[in-house]
Amino acid sequence: MQQASSHQHHYQHSAKPPVSRSSSWIRRSPPPSPPHKKLWGGGGGGGGGRSRYVCRIVPLLVLTVYSIFTVVRIPSSSLVVSTADSERVERREDVEAFKTHLPSNQNNLEAREETRSPASLPCSALINGEAGGGQAAAESALCCDRSHYRSDVCYLRGDVRTDPSTSSVLLYNAPRGSAPEKVRPYTRKFEGSIMSTIDEVTIVPVVDAGSGSNGTTAGDTGKDSLRRRCDVRHPPGVPAVVFSTGGYTGNVYHEFSDGLIPLFITAQRFAGEVVFVVLEYHYWWLGRYGAVLERLTNYKVVDFRYDRRVHCFSEMIVGLRIHGELVVDPKLMPNAGRRRRPPRRRRRSRRDHAKVAKPKLVIFIRKQNRVLLNLPHIVTACRRAGFAPHVMNLRRQTPLPAIHAALSSADAMVAVHGAAVTHFLFMRPGSVLLQIVPVGLDWAADAFYGKPAQQLGLGYLEYKVAPEESSLAAEYGVNSTVVRDPSVISSRGWWEMKKVYMDRQNVTLNIKRFGELLRSARLHLKNATACGKAASAATTTAASATSWS
């Protein structure tokens, strides 16, 4: 509009150019002909005037015919502009404007680099390592993903330095607009009572003075002297993962569900080239799970609270990713499209077959609550069903490799609902988990162990304790509300439910009903073995066909 108005202003003030006679027909209409005269035809003295009129009218007729022909040729659909078309036009105009600022042979390259800028990527892409390399990887970054109901996770890249004295992490040369962030790096964000006990980490962005950001500023003069001196400088490309072993650590279920599995999800993409920085560090925890940690990191674990040295990193993740209860969702893992070749199974010799004539069944027992009061009868029932039973009484000092060795070679596992059931993670796909569910614990048994076991490829069976099989029947009465309607107690909250159904209940199984469940377990194992042999034969046949082709 400004351009049009400027042109109009220009024409108003410029002198009109002289107009030649030959072009006067464009500006003036010919004078009307007298009604008694004809435009053309015979007539003596009017011949010159008639020819002049013909010369003026013919061009007008030609222009009129050309206009009508042009309108007729245009399709009706092209006269209607849809919203999508208008958006395409606007985008095309933006592209044209973009081309005027960049050489045409660099348009695609510059556009790709712009989409990979940290500012234009979701924080989850940076945490998962999906941002790629190039110029974006060299830029400093600070963001937090607080979208998950289980955990908050923050990502830092640049000059990252720990400050144990203030329980904080400093990011120097932080991006403009960065603000301090506070994170409790534990995966039970929805549970306020336990999260309040977790140490909080403060992320402090330090940016250049005059940048207009919300972070702490440092001037150019003496800027390096203001930075905390690095006592331990970790190699570039070796990030830190910060997490807490507080909360429910000490309960084996939570140690796996809230800690080790989220740690695997977050750190496995680094293939060992990562440093673990732990809040609320426990030496017994390192002693118990040291073998697991050695598979995830090539470096010593850093005790954030008591290691007073300043550790410097080029990248850091504060908090852990989590997919759910005791599960790893392959679709949510970085590089999910890459398939790993499954390990080959060792062929068993005749001696091995003789040793495993009966499928191995491991029974986990408890000593304080949810005790199997008729354990000897249960062991006998397992033998009668064709199993070779092994009883395990777990203690805190029981080495994890010993538990793994017992279960990785087992065909079935029997356990009363509780933290020890977590060890089904060590079992092979196709084996069976048989969970004994006391009164009032149906939902927890299915959510915490039943569904995860099935997702990992295990056969899952439940023995639901009847009211008369629970010790609560003797304490409250078999027809009491506590025994017959556990929802009344559960509605009062988790801790009230735990006090009654988890802390004060023991069970006595009906051996006949339990034996029927054991036979179902044997049938499942037979079917799984048959399917395994068929799959192995099909694989061998396919391999042979491939070798002959």
Side-chain angles (χ1 to χ4, degrees), residues 423-443:
H423 294 110
F424 77 79
L425 294 169
F426 299 154
M427 301 182 73
R428 292 171 287 121
S431 52
V432 177
L433 169 62
L434 198 162
Q435 182 178 197
I436 299 169
V437 183
V439 172
L441 300 178
D442 293 17
W443 175 86

Side-chain angles (χ1 to χ4, degrees), residues 9 43 51 53 58-59 70 141 149 166 199 201 228 267 269 285 353 368 372 387 414 422 457 465 500 515 537 541:
H9 185 268
S51 62
Y53 282 122
V58 167
T70 302
Y149 80 101
T166 59
D199 288 352
V201 177
R228 292 190 172 273
R269 71 180 178 89
W285 177 83
H353 281 293
Q368 295 182 348
L372 291 170
F387 287 98
V414 173
T422 307
V465 173
V500 175
T541 304

Side-chain angles (χ1 to χ4, degrees), residues 158-161 170-174 206 208 218 222-230 233 310:
D159 187 355
V160 184
R161 308 189 183 196
L170 306 175
L171 175 61
Y172 291 96
N173 296 331
V206 183
D208 293 339
K223 179 172 59 178
D224 292 336
S225 63
L226 295 176
R227 299 186 180 187
R228 292 190 172 273
R229 181 177 59 86
C230 292
R233 186 179 292 276
V310 175

Side-chain angles (χ1 to χ4, degrees), residues 81-367:
V81 181
S82 65
T83 305
D85 292 335
S86 64
E87 290 176 353
R88 264 189 240 111
V89 170
E90 290 174 0
R91 282 198 293 270
R92 213 176 297 125
E93 291 174 352
D94 292 341
V95 171
E96 293 299 324
F98 186 61
K99 288 181 180 179
T100 60
H101 294 85
L102 292 175
S104 59
N105 60 349
Q106 296 182 5
N107 288 342
N108 294 335
L109 176 63
E110 292 292 335
R112 283 198 296 271
E113 291 295 336
E114 184 174 290
T115 58
R116 288 168 54 183
S117 171
S120 62
L121 287 169
C123 194
S124 59
L126 298 174
I127 295 168
N128 293 335
E130 299 168 354
Q135 181 181 357
E139 299 178 20
S140 63
L142 170 58
C143 65
C144 292
D145 182 1
R146 303 182 186 273
S147 61
H148 202 282
Y149 80 101
R150 287 290 299 264
S151 66
D152 293 332
V153 185
C154 291
Y155 176 83
L156 300 83
R157 184 173 62 219
D159 187 355
V160 184
R161 308 189 183 196
T162 63
D163 183 6
S165 62
T166 59
S167 189
S168 60
V169 175
L170 306 175
L171 175 61
Y172 291 96
N173 296 331
R176 296 187 177 186
S178 299
E181 301 280 358
K182 294 182 180 294
V183 187
R184 298 184 189 271
Y186 193 61
T187 58
R188 297 192 75 83
K189 184 173 74 172
F190 64 93
E191 198 167 345
S193 59
I194 201 66
M195 290 300 290
S196 63
T197 68
I198 303 298
D199 288 352
E200 188 176 62
V201 177
T202 302
I203 301 172
V204 182
V206 183
V207 297
D208 293 339
S211 64
S213 71
N214 297 325
T216 305
T217 59
D220 293 334
T221 305
K223 179 172 59 178
D224 292 336
S225 63
L226 295 176
R227 299 186 180 187
R228 292 190 172 273
R229 181 177 59 86
C230 292
D231 299 314
V232 182
R233 186 179 292 276
H234 296 271
V238 178
V241 172
V242 182
F243 62 96
S244 173
T245 55
Y248 290 122
T249 301
N251 177 294
V252 66
Y253 169 81
H254 291 286
E255 288 166 3
F256 277 89
S257 184
D258 301 338
L260 293 175
I261 293 178
L263 181 61
F264 170 79
I265 291 171
T266 307
Q268 63 84 29
R269 71 180 178 89
F270 299 113
E273 291 301 299
V274 60
V275 177
F276 294 152
V277 180
V278 181
L279 283 76
E280 300 167 86
Y281 180 90
H282 302 287
Y283 286 99
W284 65 262
W285 177 83
L286 181 62
R288 182 175 178 83
Y289 297 112
V292 177
L293 299 176
E294 287 176 359
R295 303 296 297 270
L296 295 176
T297 178
N298 302 326
Y299 301 87
K300 291 184 178 180
V301 174
V302 176
D303 184 347
F304 188 77
R305 180 185 290 176
Y306 291 106
D307 188 340
R308 314 307 293 179
R309 297 174 298 175
V310 175
H311 290 259
C312 298
F313 300 92
S314 60
E315 190 178 5
M316 179 178 284
I317 297 173
V318 183
L320 299 178
R321 286 286 196 198
I322 185 170
H323 294 164
E325 303 291 342
L326 293 179
V327 295
V328 177
D329 189 341
K331 298 187 296 296
L332 299 178
M333 293 295 291
N335 304 322
R338 298 181 182 178
R339 293 184 177 180
R340 295 184 179 180
R341 181 179 296 178
R344 292 183 178 180
R345 286 192 172 185
R346 181 178 65 90
R347 291 187 177 181
R348 289 175 173 174
S349 64
R350 292 182 179 179
R351 183 175 300 177
D352 292 333
H353 281 293
K355 290 181 180 179
V356 294
K358 290 185 177 182
K360 179 181 176 181
L361 182 145
V362 176
I363 304 173
F364 283 99
I365 63 173
R366 303 175 63 91
K367 289 295 187 180

Side-chain angles (χ1 to χ4, degrees), residues 351-432:
R351 183 175 300 177
D352 292 333
H353 281 293
K355 290 181 180 179
V356 294
K358 290 185 177 182
K360 179 181 176 181
L361 182 145
V362 176
I363 304 173
F364 283 99
I365 63 173
R366 303 175 63 91
K367 289 295 187 180
Q368 295 182 348
N369 48 44
R370 282 162 279 157
V371 176
L372 291 170
L373 297 177
N374 57 340
L375 179 62
H377 297 88
I378 292 173
V379 173
T380 301
C382 292
R383 288 198 183 101
R384 289 177 178 173
F387 287 98
H390 297 257
V391 178
M392 289 196 71
N393 180 21
L394 297 182
R395 296 180 176 86
R396 179 179 288 251
Q397 61 269 26
T398 303
L400 195 65
I403 304 173
H404 178 271
L407 286 174
S408 62
S409 60
D411 298 285
M413 168 182 166
V414 173
V416 181
H417 172 77
V421 185
T422 307
H423 294 110
F424 77 79
L425 294 169
F426 299 154
M427 301 182 73
R428 292 171 287 121
S431 52
V432 177

